[in-house]
Amino acid sequence: MPFGIDLGAPINTALLLANIYFAQGIIFPKVSPPSVTPTDYKQSYSWMPKSHPPTVIFETFTPKTLAKYDGRDGGRVLLAIKGMVFDVTAGKSFYGPDGPYGNFAGRDASRGMAKQSFDVDMLTPLDQPLDKLEGLSNSEIDNMNGWIDFFSHKYLVCGKLVENTD
Ligand code: HEM
């Protein structure tokens, strides 16, 4: 009677065989190919959209053309920081006409973001050359870059801001 176990007893023999059966499954696992292949994944994941909405087109805006996207017509809301135009329509509650930061909608918000201010004199008049961001301190530039980082993670970049053509 090795180890004090009576292998003659049917229950012990059955348990030993069961242990051997399960142990070989652990020691020599069966590797089977994934059940979902690229060709049938759409049928398997019915929650996936059949197609995605058209990609936002990267456009060139001027202060004057950007100004139309202030959300007052119920349409897209865009704003620019350091020449990058962000589509902030998803943040309408912030930048829409009734939002706390609605003054930035359709505008170059760089200086206001840098100085953490929504004073109207942060905005360059639409018919003036682009704000060259002169006179900002290093910490204000850092603050503005922090907002660019924030916007880049939350919103889509949809274009660049260049000088007016007229
Ligand atoms: C009384 C002062 C202020 C209060 C109480 C305030 C409050 C808030 C709150 C509660 C949020 C939302 C945060 C979240 O979603 O987790 C927010 C976001 C934001 N705030 Fe302010 N804020 C103030 C001043 C300012 C100023 C002066 C600026 C000017 C640059 C500013 C720019 C922003 C921006 C850009 C966002 C991000 C909105 C987005 O998610 O798109 N805030 N603020």
Side-chain angles (χ1 to χ4, degrees):
M1 203 168 29
F3 314 114
I5 299 170
D6 180 6
L7 286 178
I11 180 71
N12 286 340
T13 311
L15 285 172
L16 181 67
L17 290 173
N19 277 342
I20 292 169
Y21 176 77
F22 287 117
Q24 61 93 28
I26 294 168
I27 297 165
F28 307 108
K30 283 183 197 140
V31 180
S32 47
S35 57
V36 176
T37 58
T39 48
D40 68 2
Y41 81 100
K42 279 204 169 167
Q43 286 83 47
S44 304
Y45 296 108
S46 55
W47 49 268
M48 283 188 78
K50 292 217 174 5
S51 65
H52 289 277
T55 308
V56 174
I57 297 168
F58 192 90
E59 289 175 77
T60 300
F61 297 90
T62 66
K64 286 182 184 174
T65 63
L66 187 67
K68 293 172 191 127
Y69 297 96
D70 61 3
R72 286 182 198 283
D73 60 357
R76 291 168 78 198
V77 186
L78 310 183
L79 62 78
I81 314 177
K82 210 165 90 175
M84 296 166 75
V85 178
F86 293 92
D87 188 325
V88 294
T89 312
K92 255 185 184 164
S93 57
F94 293 112
Y95 310 100
D98 302 322
Y101 314 125
N103 58 317
F104 292 136
R107 303 301 293 262
D108 178 2
S110 310
R111 189 167 287 267
M113 292 292 181
K115 287 185 169 282
Q116 203 71 22
S117 161
F118 24 68
D119 288 354
V120 277
D121 59 1
M122 293 293 124
L123 301 174
T124 306
L126 292 180
D127 56 355
Q128 296 292 305
L130 289 179
D131 188 348
K132 306 285 181 301
L133 301 177
E134 283 157 0
L136 293 179
S137 68
N138 287 343
S139 67
E140 287 168 342
I141 297 279
D142 283 351
N143 194 44
M144 180 186 68
N145 288 334
W147 281 119
I148 291 175
D149 193 45
F150 172 87
F151 277 77
S152 304
H153 287 91
K154 182 164 182 184
Y155 301 110
L156 290 174
V157 175
C158 65
K160 62 176 179 177
L161 185 66
V162 301
E163 297 286 2
N164 286 316
T165 49
D166 53 355

